[in-house]
Amino acid sequence: MGRWEPDAAGRLRDAAMALYAEQGYDGTTVAEIADRAGVTARTFFRHFTDKREVLFAGSEDLERRMVDALSAAPRAAGPMDAIAVGLLSAAELFADRRDYSRRRQAVIAATPELRGREFIKMASLVAAFTEALRLRGVEPAVASLAAETGVAVFRVAFERWIAGPDDADLADVMRGTLAALSGLTA
Amino acid sequence: MGRWEPDAAGRLRDAAMALYAEQGYDGTTVAEIADRAGVTARTFFRHFTDKREVLFAGSEDLERRMVDALSAAPRAAGPMDAIAVGLLSAAELFADRRDYSRRRQAVIAATPELRGREFIKMASLVAAFTEALRLRGVEPAVASLAAETGVAVFRVAFERWIAGPDDADLADVMRGTLAALSGLTA
């Protein structure tokens, strides 16, 4: 990032989100996003491969962070407890991004191409959790069930968090959702 | 279906699956599928809207069947027990389709466009289960958690069933997966 473009990535992200909300994702071009952010298209492409990735940049980092936390859970922790450690490690990243997350989710829900991309991100997270659990010695069938269930909890908790009151805490909502799951399947 | 084309839909489905496995989904045309099945392209389009829907025809029926079964579960059944009734109602439909299901899954896994379509099918099932549970008086947050978890169980059980021994029974695998979930989250 050049010294004359402080936080160009952040401004591009905000500009993209505003334009997607105003005129739809499909009707927005990279040139318009760059223009709104006050940078050139060339600068856009230094930060993002295309207008879709504006909404998904950072998801590999998020996945890696959750998997690392899961892997670092105490040896004695069972599969769902290790998953919980992984999920909770993500919560603080979102602490000051609730409004952004809510707007992002609305754009994704309205755009089939983006829903597909979001599903693939979730499937990647399931695969990564499954692999991390297997490396902890969890048998394959249990690992994939725990991973699928953990990602379901993540999704439900995230939806509840962005729909909830402004002071809701994502970690609390995740813990509540994990407890609800435990009650449901008892 | 014309009287001169007994089970044209079934033959088209088999032809499509064979061609997708041989030369890939992207490299296969409707004309080739029709040709392999011994019918015209016009007949193809009487049965399927496009080559993608050959693999997804019937999924609305499957969803409706599961939702109807869930809705007809005894009033006293809790959310996960009602979900279990829904899932198990699907098992017999697949009883003699394991080989087909396994080949279908391989084609889908290899083709991003089809993975996207499959994800959307699963999301539709989650939404339908959620709605059916809400109609039973289950509160929204619990309904969506139970629905997401139920579809996760369906997916894991289905994968285990198609990867398992030839005489595996899908209903048994589903029951085992539900029991494993209960153990995991206890």
Side-chain angles (χ1 to χ4, degrees):
Chain A
M1 204 183 307
R3 58 185 298 190
W4 306 114
E5 292 159 2
D7 195 24
R11 281 189 292 133
L12 283 162
R13 198 177 289 118
D14 289 343
M17 194 63 79
L19 287 165
Y20 297 163
E22 284 164 32
Q23 59 192 40
Y25 170 83
D26 291 326
T28 299
T29 65
V30 165
E32 288 172 312
I33 297 167
D35 199 48
R36 172 79 62 108
V39 302
T40 62
R42 190 177 158 157
T43 297
F44 177 97
F45 289 116
R46 269 215 301 279
H47 294 283
F48 305 106
T49 52
D50 56 40
K51 68 173 180 170
R52 191 177 71 177
E53 290 314 299
V54 176
L55 297 174
F56 291 94
S59 58
E60 288 88 358
D61 291 344
L62 176 64
E63 178 179 306
R64 196 173 317 114
R65 180 190 180 105
M66 288 197 277
V67 169
D68 287 349
L70 188 167
S71 301
R75 289 314 288 173
M80 282 310 290
D81 287 334
I83 291 270
V85 171
L87 297 182
L88 288 165
S89 76
E92 69 190 72
L93 288 188
F94 290 98
D96 56 355
R97 300 183 68 189
R98 211 176 71 110
D99 184 53
Y100 174 85
S101 298
R102 184 189 283 144
R103 285 181 296 140
R104 178 181 177 279
Q105 211 72 353
V107 170
I108 288 174
T111 316
E113 177 190 339
L114 298 178
R115 287 186 72 200
R117 180 69 180 76
E118 181 81 354
F119 287 133
I120 286 168
K121 193 182 86 179
M122 290 294 163
S124 168
L125 186 57
V126 169
F129 277 175
T130 302
E131 175 66 13
L133 288 174
R134 292 188 64 172
L135 289 173
R136 290 171 65 88
V138 178
E139 65 157 309
V142 174
S144 79
L145 180 61
E148 286 272 6
T149 305
V151 173
V153 165
F154 180 79
R155 195 153 40 207
V156 170
F158 201 83
E159 291 281 345
R160 282 183 56 195
W161 176 63
I162 62 177
D166 278 346
D167 61 349
D169 178 69
L170 179 54
D172 286 344
V173 179
M174 282 178 174
R175 276 185 285 260
T177 307
L178 285 160
L181 176 67
S182 178
L184 259 181
T185 60
Chain B
M1 204 183 306
R3 58 186 296 191
W4 305 115
E5 293 159 1
D7 196 25
R11 281 189 292 133
L12 283 162
R13 199 177 286 120
D14 289 342
M17 194 64 79
L19 288 165
Y20 296 162
E22 284 164 32
Q23 61 193 39
Y25 170 82
D26 292 326
T28 299
T29 65
V30 165
E32 288 172 312
I33 297 167
D35 199 49
R36 173 78 63 105
V39 302
T40 61
R42 190 177 157 157
T43 297
F44 177 97
F45 289 115
R46 269 215 300 281
H47 294 283
F48 304 106
T49 52
D50 55 40
K51 68 173 180 169
R52 192 176 71 177
E53 291 312 302
V54 176
L55 297 174
F56 291 94
S59 58
E60 288 88 357
D61 291 344
L62 176 64
E63 178 180 306
R64 197 173 315 114
R65 180 190 179 107
M66 289 197 276
V67 168
D68 287 349
L70 187 167
S71 300
R75 287 317 284 174
M80 281 311 290
D81 287 334
I83 290 271
V85 170
L87 297 181
L88 288 164
S89 75
E92 69 189 72
L93 287 188
F94 290 98
D96 57 354
R97 301 184 69 188
R98 211 175 72 109
D99 185 54
Y100 174 85
S101 298
R102 185 188 284 145
R103 285 182 297 139
R104 177 181 177 281
Q105 211 72 354
V107 170
I108 288 174
T111 316
E113 178 189 338
L114 299 178
R115 288 186 72 200
R117 180 68 179 79
E118 181 80 354
F119 286 133
I120 285 167
K121 193 182 87 179
M122 290 294 163
S124 168
L125 186 57
V126 169
F129 277 175
T130 302
E131 174 65 15
L133 287 173
R134 292 186 64 170
L135 289 172
R136 290 171 65 90
V138 178
E139 65 155 310
V142 174
S144 79
L145 179 61
E148 285 273 6
T149 305
V151 173
V153 165
F154 180 80
R155 195 155 39 208
V156 170
F158 200 84
E159 290 281 345
R160 281 183 56 196
W161 175 63
I162 62 177
D166 278 346
D167 60 348
D169 178 68
L170 179 55
D172 285 345
V173 180
M174 282 178 176
R175 276 186 284 260
T177 307
L178 285 161
L181 176 68
S182 178
L184 260 181
T185 60

